[in-house]
Amino acid sequence: MSKGMNNKDGPEGSYSDTETEGEIFNSLVQYFGDNLGRKVKAMPLVEETTLLEDSSVTLPVVVIGNGPSGICLSYMLSGYRPYLSSEAIHPNTILHSKLEEARHLSIVDQDLEYLSEGLEGRSSNPVAVLFDTLLHPDADFGYDYPSVLHWKLEQHHYIPHLVLGKGPPGGAWHNMEGSMLTISFGNWMELPGLKFKDWVSSKRRKLKGDRVMPEEIARYYKHYVKVMGLQKNFRENTYITSVSRLYRDQDDDDRPDRNISTQHLQIEKSQFIKRNWEIRGYQRVADGSHVPFCLFAENVALATGTLDSPAHLEIEGEDFPFVFHSMPEFGAAINKGKLSGKVDPVLIVGSGLSAADAVLCAYNNNIPVIHVFRRRVTDPSLIFKQLPKKLYPEYHKVYHMMCTQLYSVDSNLLSDYTSFPEHHVLSFKSDMKCILQSISGLKNIFKLSAAVVLIGSHPNLSFLKEQGCYLGHNSSQPITCKGNPVEIDAYTYECIKEANLFALGPLVGDNFVRFLKGGALGITRCLATRQKKKHLFVERGGGDGIA
């Protein structure tokens, strides 16, 4: 085995900055089976360099997005496997007895539907709830029980893959600097195999309580990729322009690829690994120029998150400079002193956690707030109803104000905070005024110092046909985390509308890092199961090559 492969013996192992074509070849042979080595020996392969180059090899998996979803998936595709720890006892006795039945097997090799049955949690995806309760037993009840899992690196389970991201590993977490404390505890933000507290102590920093700043989380994710030896799978500064299926008929192996010029086809497609997807994009290099690339993959996993494009109200005056659409914008305005000493209130629109962060930010800086949202304060779907009071006292403080400091036509605005439930903004005016309208039709005009619209965001899936809308539960609407997530198989995370295309994380409704790890488990189990079937097929003489 090559130096590059042997360097993965433990979590401290890491890859060199460059990797020879032969070493990547060895990892592919490991995946395809040694008896297939001669088939790919002469082929140019993707190397670990600063640039992605056009490749005639079909990779088993390409992951789009290098945030915690993409990182966790890479970890498991790299051969890390979770087992029930020898001394572990899960507080859920029924689940524990199920785990004991197959203690010798990794969780990846077990029946996820059987293990998930009967579990309840804060995700609508059963595998997400399962994996979360194995990693953080009874966390929602305020307990800090240790994980019942331990991890082993089993190199023979490595599935070759690339993870493509716009910035460094960690994704959108690198763009959240200056915002409030994270919604989750530090240990809920951690990824398998590296405790967040251990990492913090190794950096000689002390945690101020259990909640942490986003920039700390971003640094942790970047370090995680390095310490787990995953760098060879990651490419930064990559922008995807198109992901297109090359052929539709999965069973017709004699059908030629229609969208590829013959010069790219150095070896014919076979039954072993299929060239299902063409991924095109460009990589931004140090001088600012863009270098295009083209890759081929059997499977694509979407791990982009949903923070690309803030949602807009689509009303008159929303593009005035005093109207912000993100917490970092609002935080920057406060930090620069633009709102200090203002007597006019800040308008905050939205009823989610980002809006609550903005309320806290303004409140803590003595800036009066007008808080407008469409829902009733008793709406059971409000996020505050899902957060334990003991763990999130500041968010419940906001919710308490939403319920008690209500606007009344008989009184003026309150000095610090005034709640406007079941209201919406009609328009913004150039003189920094806004017009609000209640559900009954009553209108009010207020003078503002600024406005912050925080009503969610949309992922950028422009590289897919129909902007990816066809993958959602409602194909006529854009993909959103809450309202219209990607429709997936509950246990494999494969898109219902598109074979060999997977999605995880916020795209499927799992906004919390705690739960996106379940997507990595489901996808890894699905691909590992299919890999085993392929090897059985090859061993019986049914196929002998790769695309």
Side-chain angles (χ1 to χ4, degrees):
M1 190 59 71
S2 69
K3 168 172 65 68
M5 296 304 295
N6 282 336
N7 206 20
K8 294 194 295 180
D9 289 339
E12 297 301 323
S14 61
Y15 290 86
S16 59
D17 288 337
T18 59
E19 183 163 14
T20 67
E21 183 175 293
E23 288 170 328
I24 296 259
F25 161 75
N26 281 341
S27 66
L28 285 164
V29 168
Q30 175 182 314
Y31 174 74
F32 297 133
D34 292 332
N35 59 326
L36 303 179
R38 66 187 183 279
K39 290 285 182 182
V40 295
K41 191 75 176 176
M43 295 173 61
L45 299 164
V46 179
E47 296 184 40
E48 185 186 355
T49 61
T50 54
L51 291 178
L52 272 172
E53 297 180 359
D54 289 3
S55 173
S56 60
V57 164
T58 303
L59 286 162
V61 188
V62 168
V63 183
I64 300 175
N66 66 353
S69 298
I71 295 171
C72 192
L73 180 54
S74 178
Y75 177 77
M76 298 191 72
L77 292 178
S78 295
Y80 287 93
R81 290 292 183 267
Y83 288 84
L84 181 66
S85 296
S86 56
E87 304 298 320
I89 299 177
H90 197 282
N92 183 321
T93 54
I94 296 174
L95 176 59
H96 187 76
S97 65
K98 290 180 180 179
L99 294 168
E100 286 283 4
E101 292 169 10
R103 177 181 279 278
H104 62 290
L105 293 177
S106 82
I107 304 300
V108 173
D109 296 314
Q110 297 188 41
D111 184 341
L112 300 183
E113 185 170 1
Y114 172 63
L115 293 178
S116 303
E117 188 180 13
L119 297 178
E120 294 182 356
R122 300 183 191 280
S123 169
S124 58
N125 294 312
V127 177
V129 174
L130 167 67
F131 209 25
D132 178 65
T133 195
L134 295 176
L135 293 167
H136 305 288
D138 282 355
D140 287 329
F141 297 106
Y143 297 110
D144 189 19
Y145 293 140
S147 168
V148 298
L149 303 177
H150 72 281
W151 293 82
K152 295 180 183 178
L153 176 58
E154 299 176 346
Q155 295 180 5
H156 60 284
H157 287 313
Y158 174 72
I159 297 178
H161 62 282
L162 281 179
V163 183
L164 308 179
K166 295 176 183 176
W173 286 92
H174 290 279
N175 302 323
M176 294 184 192
E177 293 190 21
S179 63
M180 301 293 289
L181 294 174
T182 68
I183 175 61
S184 295
F185 287 86
N187 63 334
W188 287 0
M189 311 303 290
E190 68 194 19
L191 297 178
L194 180 62
K195 288 185 176 295
F196 183 78
K197 287 180 180 177
D198 291 347
W199 173 77
V200 169
S201 62
S202 74
K203 297 295 175 187
R204 297 185 177 86
R205 285 194 281 269
K206 286 188 176 181
L207 283 177
K208 297 176 181 177
D210 290 320
R211 305 281 286 287
V212 291
M213 298 299 287
E215 47 264 43
E216 285 284 282
I217 296 293
R219 282 193 286 266
Y220 164 80
Y221 290 145
K222 189 175 181 181
H223 178 78
Y224 182 92
V225 169
K226 183 178 180 181
V227 79
M228 293 299 173
L230 307 179
Q231 307 103 302
K232 75 166 215 157
N233 305 313
F234 281 73
R235 298 295 184 277
E236 299 179 16
N237 302 313
T238 58
Y239 297 79
I240 309 301
T241 54
S242 75
V243 174
S244 54
R245 185 174 278 283
L246 295 178
Y247 59 92
R248 291 273 162 198
D249 189 348
Q250 295 292 303
D251 298 316
D252 184 1
D253 285 300
D254 296 323
R255 182 178 176 181
D257 292 293
R258 291 183 173 178
N259 297 348
I260 317 171
S261 61
T262 53
Q263 65 190 20
H264 269 88
L265 295 177
Q266 297 189 13
I267 194 164
E268 288 187 5
K269 181 164 42 40
S270 80
Q271 292 174 317
F272 196 71
I273 181 169
K274 293 181 178 178
R275 179 170 284 185
N276 291 327
W277 298 100
E278 177 190 74
I279 300 103
R280 289 188 176 273
Y282 62 87
Q283 196 164 17
R284 198 171 58 199
V285 293
D287 65 3
S289 61
H290 295 172
V291 179
F293 65 82
C294 176
L295 299 172
F296 301 105
E298 180 172 26
N299 303 284
V300 169
L302 302 174
T304 60
T306 58
L307 293 177
D308 289 306
S309 306
H312 284 56
L313 295 167
E314 308 294 347
I315 60 172
E316 177 193 344
E318 196 172 2
D319 55 352
F320 284 130
F322 66 88
V323 181
F324 305 119
H325 290 86
S326 73
M327 262 304 295
E329 281 183 305
F330 181 48
I334 289 177
N335 292 337
K336 290 174 183 174
K338 291 182 178 179
L339 302 177
S340 61
K342 299 274 187 179
V343 292
D344 294 322
V346 165
L347 171 70
I348 296 172
V349 184
S351 58
L353 295 176
S354 295
D357 271 348
V359 169
L360 289 167
C361 190
Y363 190 88
N364 293 335
N365 283 277
N366 298 312
I367 301 170
V369 171
I370 293 175
H371 188 188
V372 172
F373 47 98
R374 288 178 175 270
R375 299 183 186 183
R376 305 186 315 276
V377 292
T378 54
D379 190 323
S381 65
L382 283 173
I383 186 66
F384 309 100
K385 302 272 191 181
Q386 303 172 38
L387 300 177
K389 286 185 182 180
K390 184 171 130 184
L391 302 186
Y392 300 101
E394 75 278 37
Y395 288 115
H396 279 277
K397 176 183 177 181
V398 172
Y399 181 53
H400 180 73
M401 292 194 299
M402 289 167 65
C403 296
T404 59
Q405 296 184 216
L406 302 172
Y407 176 73
S408 167
V409 291
D410 301 325
S411 61
N412 295 322
L413 293 177
L414 299 173
S415 60
D416 54 357
Y417 172 95
T418 310
S419 173
F420 286 78
E422 297 185 277
H423 279 69
H424 64 277
V425 185
L426 281 181
S427 64
F428 296 104
K429 301 301 180 183
S430 58
D431 58 359
M432 298 184 72
K433 290 181 180 177
C434 73
I435 303 175
L436 306 183
Q437 183 171 352
S438 71
I439 195 170
S440 63
L442 188 67
K443 295 178 183 178
N444 287 284
I445 300 175
F446 295 102
K447 181 84 163 62
L448 309 174
S449 60
V452 196
V453 178
L454 298 167
I455 55 172
S457 58
H458 304 302
N460 180 2
L461 298 175
S462 59
F463 51 82
L464 293 171
K465 72 173 186 179
E466 301 174 21
Q467 311 279 309
C469 292
Y470 77 106
L471 298 172
H473 287 263
N474 182 347
S475 59
S476 65
Q477 296 295 319
I479 299 295
T480 59
C481 176
K482 291 180 182 175
N484 190 34
V486 173
E487 188 177 10
I488 54 167
D489 179 279
Y491 301 98
T492 67
Y493 285 74
E494 188 170 27
C495 296
I496 297 295
K497 312 276 179 54
E498 194 78 86
N500 303 106
L501 183 65
F502 298 82
L504 71 162
L507 289 175
V508 300
D510 285 330
N511 235 345
F512 294 108
V513 175
R514 278 176 60 190
F515 296 116
L516 59 78
K517 304 168 208 175
L521 172 61
I523 294 171
T524 301
R525 169 162 170 69
C526 176
L527 295 177
T529 302
R530 291 178 184 177
Q531 180 187 346
K532 286 179 188 174
K533 290 178 180 177
K534 286 178 180 178
H535 278 298
L536 285 173
F537 179 73
V538 171
E539 287 166 8
R540 291 169 182 164
D544 64 352
I546 67 165

